Amino acid sequence: QVQLVESGGGLVQAGDSLRLSCAASGRTVSSRTMAWFRQAPEKEREFVASISWSGVSTYYADSVKGRFTISRDNAKNTVYLQMNSLKPEDTSVYSCAASIGEYSHGYYTRPYEYAYWGQGTQVTVSS
C-alpha cells in the first residue's frame, strides 16, 4: 500500500507563490505517474498537473499552464507543485495521487486512473 500526505498550503494574496509537497510512504511510487487534482466547494474535482514516472513528461490543465510547475524527486519519494502568480480562482483543496499504471507516459487526467490519494491541503488566494 501507498500513503500520500500533502503539505504546504495556506492563505496568500493574489500574485503570491506557494510550493506544495506530496510525501509518499509505505511503498515507492517511482514507477507511477503522479498528479495533482483540486476541488473547490460545489465544484467537481479537476485535473491540475501530472508527471511521468521518469519525470521526463509533464502535463497541465489550461488554467494553470505557465504558472504552475510539477516536479518529482524519486530518491525522496516526493512530488511537488510550484504555484506562481496565484489567482483567487485557484482557491481549492489540492490533492496528490499515484496512478494505477506503471512505467507509463504520464498522461492520465481522470480520477479513475489513479489508485492512491492523499487527503488534501487547502490553498486560499485572496484578491
Side-chain angles (χ1 to χ4, degrees):
Q1 293 285 3
V2 174
Q3 295 81 44
L4 304 175
V5 179
E6 303 94 338
S7 62
L11 173 62
V12 298
Q13 288 191 314
D16 286 352
S17 297
L18 280 174
R19 188 195 193 204
L20 305 183
S21 297
C22 173
S25 62
R27 296 172 63 184
T28 181
V29 294
S30 60
S31 64
R32 303 181 186 274
T33 295
M34 299 296 293
W36 291 93
F37 289 79
R38 66 186 183 186
Q39 187 170 24
E42 306 299 325
K43 293 187 176 181
E44 295 184 1
R45 181 157 52 189
E46 67 171 326
F47 170 81
V48 176
S50 64
I51 185 167
S52 64
W53 71 274
S54 64
V56 170
S57 300
T58 58
Y59 303 91
Y60 297 93
D62 288 343
S63 59
V64 306
K65 285 181 180 177
R67 299 188 298 120
F68 291 10
T69 302
I70 188 171
S71 61
R72 69 190 301 164
D73 186 341
N74 284 342
K76 296 181 178 180
N77 221 20
T78 301
V79 182
Y80 306 95
L81 185 68
Q82 178 66 46
M83 305 186 295
N84 298 329
S85 302
L86 283 162
K87 304 175 180 179
E89 51 262 45
D90 295 319
T91 295
S92 192
V93 174
Y94 286 73
S95 300
C96 68
S99 69
I100 297 170
E102 298 182 87
Y103 303 111
S104 193
H105 44 72
Y107 188 64
Y108 300 117
T109 62
R110 300 294 188 88
Y112 72 81
E113 296 173 306
Y114 291 84
Y116 305 103
W117 294 82
Q119 297 199 19
T121 185
Q122 176 71 46
V123 172
T124 303
V125 185
S126 63
S127 59

